[in-house]
Amino acid sequence: MNAISPEDVQEVQGVLPEDADQALLIGRVWDVESGGPRVVAVSGGSIFDLHRVAGTVAELLELPDPAAAVRSALADPTLAEPRWETAAVVNASLAGDSSRTRLLAPVDLQVIKACGVTFVDSMIERVIEERCAGDAGRAAEVRELVGLALGGSISDLRPGSPEAAEAKRVLIAEGLWSQYLEVGIGPDPEVFTKAPVLSSVGLGAGIGIPAFSSWNNPEPELVLIATSAGKVVGATLGNDVNLRDVEGRSALLLGKAKDNNASSALGPFIRLFDGTFTLDTLRDEEILLRVEGPDGYLLEGRNSVSRISRPFEELVAATYGKHHQYPDGFALFTGTLFAPTQDRDMPGQGFTHKRGDLVTIRSRHLGALMNRVGPSEELPEWSFGLRRLLAYLAAQRQGARA
């Protein structure tokens, strides 16, 4: 393995969870030696190759007890080989060095789903986008009008409750009803497909803003990882990059606003549930956002998961069930409390990204996802799809038999 510099060690400490010694972390790396993605686990400063256990993360998570399977593999040198130093791989990832083994998004065959408008604060911002018709210059004026009309009257409403139904009736009578209020306090949450299978980017990769957007923002989110049976077995961090001007023009443009080259970032790893880390651990998770601009601009925000308006179980049930199945599992963005209103340039126009912004999304139990903003049209094109993955896996199996 490569020699590790002090700078490498410092970088990895900022990326791993605070309790990394107790965390059971899995993910994917691009292995430059074999020329493809490998399923890996992180333990004791080393990254272990799990290709003898599973060819894909989806396959690994379908095992009866993924956490137990990974722990057993880490204890058996015939199943898990410590091939890389964690610090070196993290360093290569943050440097964007494609000549070295680097981290990928920690999911592969899972469908990338997302829930929107799951926090009242961000719901109000969606209403503002709609009222502005995507015009950032009108945001401050409309925000004041909507704030005066709504006040705190709906902040404690349980979506789908009789009280929410009454609030809906009053808002309609006042001419203030919105499709975003419908999914924010109505009976059904918003669930959409965020990105195609295998298109998400991981730690250190560029995140894309297309040229046609001039009002946009990061969305720091907790992402649940579920099996084909709809069982949540772990979690990671995600950036559900949002184009406020596009979606604000029409909710029917959601696909154009959400799904672009490098617009879905996940990582750095999936933390599997075990005896000490469970779904309940995440109910109070604090997800921190930091945007550092090349112009010296600094934006900080917080996504307090405890303030989510619908429980995780409701979001999962709205995604998976008799109405929809995912044979390879799914990753579910759970929404964000954060909606930036801090002005960056002109007063009253709020925040929007600039080329070169460094976005860091961090939480105590999941580590830190770091990406730099660039134009979608100029970032590396998504080229490794299902055909290439299947060909790679077949070649690896053939090589193992030889």
Side-chain angles (χ1 to χ4, degrees):
M1 290 183 281
N2 296 329
I4 304 302
S5 70
E7 290 77 14
D8 288 336
V9 174
Q10 184 177 7
E11 298 230 67
V12 74
Q13 289 173 343
V15 167
L16 295 179
E18 291 181 11
D19 58 344
D21 290 344
Q22 289 77 48
L24 191 56
L25 304 173
I26 64 166
R28 295 164 66 237
V29 302
W30 182 269
D31 175 27
V32 294
E33 183 177 325
S34 65
R38 311 288 271 204
V39 181
V40 298
V42 180
S43 178
S46 295
I47 292 184
F48 288 72
D49 192 339
L50 297 181
H51 78 277
R52 294 187 180 94
V53 180
T56 64
V57 172
E59 180 185 355
L60 175 63
L61 298 184
E62 290 299 314
L63 296 175
D65 188 339
V70 172
R71 292 197 187 279
S72 295
L74 291 174
D76 185 347
T78 66
L79 292 177
E81 178 186 0
R83 288 192 55 200
W84 308 277
E85 292 286 354
T86 308
V89 173
V90 167
N91 179 265
S93 303
L94 295 177
D97 187 351
S98 61
S99 69
R100 293 189 284 164
T101 294
R102 63 196 185 280
L103 288 167
L104 303 172
V107 299
D108 40 43
L109 300 181
Q110 292 86 353
V111 175
I112 311 300
K113 305 293 289 187
C115 292
V117 202
T118 55
F119 293 81
V120 169
D121 302 59
S122 59
M123 175 189 73
I124 293 172
E125 284 301 308
R126 298 293 85 79
V127 174
I128 291 165
E129 289 168 14
E130 182 182 48
R131 295 278 167 169
C132 289
D135 181 1
R138 297 182 55 213
E141 172 193 352
V142 176
R143 186 174 292 110
E144 182 178 2
L145 291 174
V146 173
L148 288 172
L150 299 180
S153 61
I154 62 173
S155 60
D156 297 323
L157 288 180
R158 175 72 173 90
S161 67
E163 293 79 12
E166 174 61 18
K168 175 180 178 178
R169 185 192 67 77
V170 171
L171 288 165
I172 290 174
E174 294 293 326
L176 288 172
W177 188 247
S178 160
Q179 57 204 334
Y180 294 103
L181 290 167
E182 174 65 45
V183 295
I185 64 174
D188 299 311
E190 177 189 24
V191 183
F192 59 92
T193 299
K194 165 63 180 179
V197 170
L198 288 175
S199 69
S200 296
V201 299
L203 177 74
I207 49 174
I209 302 293
F212 52 74
S213 174
S214 60
W215 187 22
N216 42 72
N217 64 272
E219 291 194 348
E221 301 193 21
L222 171 69
V223 182
L224 303 178
I225 307 299
T227 68
S228 63
K231 179 182 179 182
V232 180
V233 293
T236 190
L237 296 171
N239 187 349
D240 179 16
V241 179
N242 184 46
L243 310 184
R244 302 188 71 177
D245 47 358
V246 175
E247 186 178 351
R249 283 160 45 206
S250 170
L252 296 180
L253 293 173
L254 181 66
K256 186 179 181 71
K258 290 291 188 179
D259 182 10
N260 297 285
N261 185 38
S263 65
S264 170
L266 294 167
F269 302 100
I270 293 170
R271 183 165 182 175
L272 295 177
F273 293 156
D274 56 18
T276 60
F277 177 71
T278 68
L279 191 61
D280 286 336
T281 308
L282 295 171
R283 297 189 198 277
D284 294 317
E285 194 79 346
E286 294 286 316
I287 300 175
L288 306 179
L289 171 74
R290 183 180 177 91
V291 178
E292 301 168 73
D295 53 356
Y297 177 86
L298 176 64
L299 173 72
E300 293 182 309
R302 180 184 300 267
N303 180 12
S304 299
V305 178
S306 62
R307 293 176 62 184
I308 198 168
S309 58
R310 301 179 192 266
F312 297 143
E313 291 83 357
E314 183 177 337
L315 300 181
V316 172
T319 306
Y320 167 87
K322 289 292 186 182
H323 64 290
H324 205 319
Q325 299 78 47
Y326 302 89
D328 298 304
F330 58 96
L332 182 63
F333 283 80
T334 57
T336 185
L337 170 69
F338 177 76
T341 59
Q342 175 181 317
D343 289 335
R344 183 167 196 174
D345 293 315
M346 298 296 294
Q349 293 200 6
F351 170 86
T352 196
H353 269 308
K354 291 187 178 182
R355 179 198 292 258
D357 281 350
L358 177 61
V359 181
T360 301
I361 297 171
R362 183 189 309 275
S363 84
R364 175 185 175 189
H365 293 101
L366 300 174
L369 174 63
M370 304 172 69
N371 303 93
R372 197 170 292 278
V373 172
S376 292
E377 297 83 356
E378 297 178 19
L379 293 177
E381 293 184 355
W382 172 37
S383 60
F384 193 92
L386 287 169
R387 286 185 299 160
R388 285 188 62 184
L389 175 61
L390 293 175
Y392 172 77
L393 294 174
Q396 293 302 299
R397 286 193 295 269
Q398 184 176 358
R401 288 194 297 267

